[in-house]
Amino acid sequence: TLMPAFQAVGYMSTVHLRNEGVWQDPRVPFAQIANMTRVSAKWTRDDLLSTLAERGEFGAPFVGITAAARGYFGREPGQVDVPQAAMLAGVMGNYRINPWCSPDAVAKMRGRVLGLMRENGTISAEAAEIADRADLGLMAPASEPHCPS
């Protein structure tokens, strides 16, 4: 469907505008629409996925799939397993969440991603069920996480 792609383009537009320091400008909605239009007209699916992997925010404090895979699991992106990949997809774009502070919320997000993966045929129902029961597999954080009370 087009909705995930549209959401991804909108998300990348938001990240770009925030990184450019213009997020508080009252013209942001217009700039965002222009950005989304340009990106959706010129980028291929591979361009979008590569940019999401490189610049996406994967929970606090990781930017990019490489930093997130290393920081959460001590692995390179190509070494993460299905439950870990689903967790990364679940936290992407949610820079307020910290899996070490909110493991139950992150497990629920991961479960939703696994359900979508099952629905679109990426994984079997059995694989989704097994992955959903798996431990998050987080390594110890590099520093003590700041968890809101």
Side-chain angles (χ1 to χ4, degrees):
T1 66
L2 287 177
M3 190 48 110
F6 185 73
Q7 289 171 327
V9 170
Y11 168 69
M12 286 312 305
S13 176
T14 299
V15 168
H16 172 73
L17 292 170
R18 194 171 52 237
N19 288 345
E20 293 297 315
V22 295
W23 190 243
Q24 301 300 325
D25 191 302
R27 298 169 290 180
V28 162
F30 304 107
Q32 196 165 19
I33 290 169
N35 230 3
M36 289 171 63
T37 302
R38 182 177 47 85
V39 166
S40 61
K42 294 186 178 192
W43 284 18
T44 66
R45 179 179 183 212
D46 287 343
D47 292 337
L48 178 60
L49 292 175
S50 294
T51 302
L52 284 169
E54 181 184 314
R55 297 179 59 191
E57 298 164 335
F58 291 87
F62 303 113
V63 174
I65 192 73
T66 301
R70 288 176 181 165
Y72 289 132
F73 310 118
R75 297 179 170 192
E76 294 302 313
Q79 297 173 322
V80 299
D81 58 22
V82 170
Q84 292 168 336
M87 189 205 94
L88 290 172
V91 300
M92 185 173 163
N94 191 342
Y95 59 90
R96 292 183 187 111
I97 196 155
N98 187 318
W100 291 289
C101 298
S102 307
D104 292 339
V106 170
K108 285 180 185 176
M109 292 168 123
R110 178 184 71 180
R112 286 193 294 274
V113 171
L114 290 166
L116 292 170
M117 292 172 72
R118 183 191 69 243
E119 287 174 20
N120 72 23
T122 305
I123 59 173
S124 68
E126 181 183 8
E129 193 174 309
I130 291 168
D132 198 29
R133 287 194 310 258
D135 184 72
L136 289 178
L138 299 171
M139 61 181 239
S143 61
E144 191 64 32
H146 174 70
C147 299
S149 301

